[in-house]
Amino acid sequence: MTAPTGRQDEIAATPMVAFRAQRWHWPRAALWPHVVLLALASAVLVPLAFLILGSFSTARIPTQLSWSTIGLANYAAIWLDPQTYRLLLNTAAFVLGATALGVALAALLAWLVERTNVPGKAWLYAGIPLTLAVPGLLQAMAWVLLLSPKSGFVNRALMDWWGLSAAPINVYSLSGMAFVEGIHLVPTAFLMLVPLLRTMDPALEEAASIAGASPVSILRRVTVKLMLPGLVAVSIYQTMTALEVFEIPGVLGMPVGLHVFATKIYAMLQSATGVPVYGQASALGILYLLLGMIAAGLYWRMVRRSERYTVVSGKAYRPRTVDLGPWRWLALGIIALYFFLAIVLPFVVMLYISFVPYLQQPSLAVLETLTWKHYDFLLSYPKFTETFWNTLTMAALTATATTIASFAIALVVVRSKFWGRRLVDQLAFMPHAIPGIVAGLAFLWLFLVIGLFGTILSIVLAFSVTFIAYGSRAMSAAILQLHRDLEEAARVAGAAPLRVMARVFFPLMLPAFVGLWIWVVLLAVRIAGLPLVLYEGPRNQVLAVLIWKMWDDGDIEAVGAIGVLLMVALFLLALLLRLIGFRRAAA
């Protein structure tokens, strides 16, 4: 073999050849999409397999699961019970009512903020998502304190003023549940509808205006029809969200025996007469799961056909602003009313009961008896301290695991040419179709069998799988914003793949990482259904479980103190998330 000439040495040393030489490492790197697919399939499908198997089992406890216990007795007991179909009607009424109210109110707010001259639009756009700082559990408890037929502050005041013998409003009803959940659904629907309105071509609206149509007619016959496909997609998504919610029906429905699927499954797992009926709860969970899968299928179909509903053109596009005239102050009042109902009222109610010595009707005389004793009690209460650190640990680990897993999944879906990337994407979205209480039940079977039940790690794993649906899509959107030329330029310059990731990719993705991490912390702290199913003693008790238990035991004033501290902390996190979002938008 001849020695290389100087020219050959120069060529061999060029960055392009060095870049090509690195291709020897890619065959080994190509294994990681298979690892992601295998890990994701195991995390999603294995618990579901245990749930399906458990639904056929007549074993008294999951650890006694065996082929000899397999049969159809659970399905016969559940699916042939007339109460199951009553449960289905309750669930449908609650979900449809909450979705209709939430999406309609969110669409109105989004239209006012994006397409009108309502005052203070920038502050309104920043403030509406901050309502996420109020957990559904605390929101429902606040409305109980206000509208309970026996002791609700508002009901008692109306009865005194009007001389009524019975409470005029009953929050323990399907309409009460739908109202509170509808208010709770608004911020997410608002964030989904704002981009739709912002990018809508106003040509048809302007043509209708030139033809003499009134603003109300334009809104009804043009704007709403252009938004209809997007509204349908958002409505389906919010239906899926309302279908899986546990906290609000749990607080407002369970005390009077008014059940939806989520609360009925939880009640079956908390049997006071003996061993919980795991098999029948699982059989009911399968029916509940089918409803979630149908909603997810409809949503997926709408999203896949989204290009058929394009409303933005490249010709002379500019957003159209409607002049509300004197009506803009009424519009501002509607927005202020929403803020009052969603944030101010629940917080004030919790703040009030956290300072009164015992629960009593608000009055000027009560102000003289305010006390800090409930906060002092929490600081000296060992169970609260342990639960607080459990919650911090759970939230931090869940957010970290979800962010890492979502990033890995998004890399496979967006950046790779892996044959199974679409399967990875569908598997990642599947947990959103699984109601939280059903996911908790599925993981309950798995963790009892493998011995992981009753630990913080059990809640972390279950939450991480549940949040992957949102996290993977958020990461995919962030990666799509980064052009491949940035990475290719670094590789051509001679940077190794890991150096490209560390010096180019990760710094640009950092806002997305931090934003997703904070968002998952917000969700993990707010949700109570899944931790209640996986809760077992003080080792894995988190704040949502403690609040539920203390409310159930009648320690309402202590719940108020925890609620105030929790809402302040979540508000600061939500504010930080909004600041990160604004910085990304500016960039």
Side-chain angles (χ1 to χ4, degrees):
M1 179 181 296
T2 59
T5 64
R7 178 61 178 165
Q8 289 172 328
D9 288 338
E10 181 181 351
I11 293 174
T14 59
M16 181 60 72
V17 174
F19 170 60
R20 289 175 178 171
Q22 292 172 8
R23 291 185 179 179
W24 290 104
H25 300 283
W26 289 117
R28 290 200 300 269
L31 292 175
W32 72 271
H34 294 83
V35 174
V36 171
L37 175 59
L38 180 61
L40 183 60
S42 300
V44 175
L45 299 180
V46 171
L48 283 181
F50 271 93
L51 177 69
I52 294 171
L53 188 62
S55 69
F56 290 99
S57 174
T58 57
R60 298 186 64 189
I61 55 177
T63 53
Q64 297 176 350
L65 182 65
S66 65
W67 291 112
S68 61
T69 63
I70 300 300
L72 296 175
N74 295 326
Y75 286 93
I78 293 298
W79 289 33
L80 299 180
D81 185 357
Q83 292 298 321
T84 299
Y85 301 97
R86 177 63 184 174
L87 196 65
L88 182 61
L89 292 176
N90 287 347
T91 304
F94 164 67
V95 169
L96 295 178
T99 302
L101 175 61
V103 174
L105 184 54
L108 175 62
L109 294 175
W111 180 75
L112 290 174
V113 170
E114 282 297 322
R115 306 303 294 273
T116 72
N117 63 339
V118 66
K121 292 197 295 184
W123 291 101
L124 299 176
Y125 177 72
I128 289 177
L130 294 182
T131 56
L132 293 168
V134 183
L137 188 64
L138 295 176
Q139 202 168 43
M141 291 174 178
W143 284 104
V144 167
L145 293 169
L146 290 169
L147 298 177
S148 170
K150 293 183 178 180
S151 58
F153 301 150
V154 173
N155 271 330
R156 290 183 60 183
L158 293 176
M159 291 170 67
D160 292 340
W161 293 344
W162 296 343
L164 302 176
S165 59
I169 306 173
N170 182 15
V171 76
Y172 293 122
S173 61
L174 282 174
S175 57
M177 290 161 50
F179 170 76
V180 177
E181 178 60 19
I183 296 293
H184 196 61
L185 290 176
V186 168
T188 303
F190 174 84
L191 291 174
M192 297 175 74
L193 288 171
V194 160
L196 181 65
L197 281 164
R198 183 175 298 170
T199 57
M200 183 181 295
D201 193 335
L204 294 177
E205 295 171 305
E206 292 176 352
S209 178
I210 293 173
S214 65
V216 174
S217 180
I218 294 173
L219 175 64
R220 180 174 57 88
R221 304 185 65 178
V222 180
T223 306
V224 171
K225 289 186 177 181
L226 288 174
M227 288 181 61
L228 190 58
L231 282 172
V232 172
V234 172
S235 298
I236 295 173
Y237 185 90
Q238 295 300 85
T239 298
M240 296 164 60
T241 303
L243 185 64
E244 70 173 26
V245 72
F246 166 80
E247 293 82 4
I248 290 173
V251 174
L252 301 180
M254 287 183 63
V256 294
L258 182 60
H259 286 289
V260 294
F261 275 109
T263 57
K264 184 62 176 180
I265 292 173
Y266 175 75
M268 295 174 74
L269 295 176
Q270 303 295 318
S271 175
T273 58
V275 178
V277 282
Y278 291 105
Q280 291 186 20
S282 300
L284 184 60
I286 294 297
L287 178 57
Y288 191 17
L289 177 62
L290 291 176
L291 296 177
M293 289 293 185
I294 291 171
L298 293 174
Y299 177 75
W300 187 263
R301 184 177 179 85
M302 287 294 300
V303 171
R304 286 183 60 189
R305 300 172 62 187
S306 60
E307 70 279 356
R308 296 179 55 186
Y309 309 115
T310 302
V311 293
V312 177
S313 66
K315 299 186 296 182
Y317 167 73
R318 61 183 178 86
R320 177 179 182 270
T321 300
V322 177
D323 183 6
L324 295 178
W327 293 100
R328 65 184 184 275
W329 301 111
L330 176 61
L332 184 61
I334 293 173
I335 298 175
L337 177 61
Y338 167 72
F339 278 123
F340 178 74
L341 295 177
I343 297 181
V344 177
L345 196 58
F347 181 77
V348 169
V349 169
M350 289 294 164
L351 187 66
Y352 169 75
I353 65 171
S354 70
F355 282 110
V356 294
Y358 57 90
L359 188 63
Q360 53 189 307
Q361 189 75 2
S363 66
L364 293 177
V366 174
L367 298 179
E368 300 177 359
T369 66
L370 301 183
T371 175
W372 288 90
K373 71 175 185 178
H374 305 303
Y375 293 94
D376 294 335
F377 166 73
L378 290 180
L379 294 177
S380 61
Y381 186 39
K383 186 177 292 187
F384 173 76
T385 304
E386 185 177 5
T387 301
F388 174 77
W389 289 111
N390 281 348
T391 305
L392 283 183
T393 303
M394 179 273 296
L397 290 178
T398 299
T400 303
T402 302
T403 302
I404 293 173
S406 298
F407 177 64
I409 292 168
L411 276 181
V412 173
V413 174
V414 177
R415 280 290 197 259
S416 76
K417 296 182 179 180
F418 180 49
W419 61 267
R421 62 184 182 276
R422 184 169 180 177
L423 177 60
V424 169
D425 189 40
Q426 291 174 340
L427 283 172
F429 184 73
M430 186 180 293
H432 186 70
I434 304 173
I437 206 77
V438 176
L441 183 58
F443 280 104
L444 175 66
W445 281 93
L446 175 63
F447 293 151
L448 281 172
V449 171
I450 66 177
L452 199 61
F453 181 70
T455 64
I456 283 292
L457 186 59
S458 65
I459 298 179
V460 169
L461 291 175
F463 264 150
S464 299
V465 173
T466 302
F467 298 149
I468 278 176
Y470 171 81
S472 60
R473 272 149 182 76
M475 281 294 172
S476 296
I479 293 175
L480 283 171
Q481 293 178 343
L482 304 181
H483 201 280
R484 293 176 182 267
D485 288 352
L486 296 172
E487 304 158 57
E488 296 297 336
R491 289 172 182 167
V492 169
L498 290 179
R499 189 173 180 83
V500 173
M501 279 284 182
R503 299 296 296 273
V504 177
F505 206 78
F506 283 117
L508 293 173
M509 287 288 296
L510 187 59
F513 290 145
V514 176
L516 177 59
W517 196 92
I518 296 174
W519 180 264
V520 172
V521 170
L522 280 169
L523 291 179
V525 174
R526 295 167 71 235
I527 294 176
L530 191 147
L532 278 169
V533 174
L534 299 178
Y535 157 73
E536 180 62 29
R539 290 187 304 162
N540 69 340
Q541 180 172 264
V542 293
L543 280 177
V545 175
L546 180 62
I547 291 172
W548 178 273
K549 296 293 183 183
M550 295 181 80
W551 176 268
D552 202 37
D553 293 337
D555 297 329
I556 298 175
E557 298 83 5
V559 168
I562 298 176
V564 169
L565 296 176
L566 183 58
M567 280 192 279
V568 169
L570 292 180
F571 179 82
L572 294 176
L573 279 176
L575 184 61
L576 179 60
L577 185 63
R578 293 301 300 152
L579 292 176
I580 293 172
F582 284 137
R583 288 184 178 180
R584 289 183 63 189

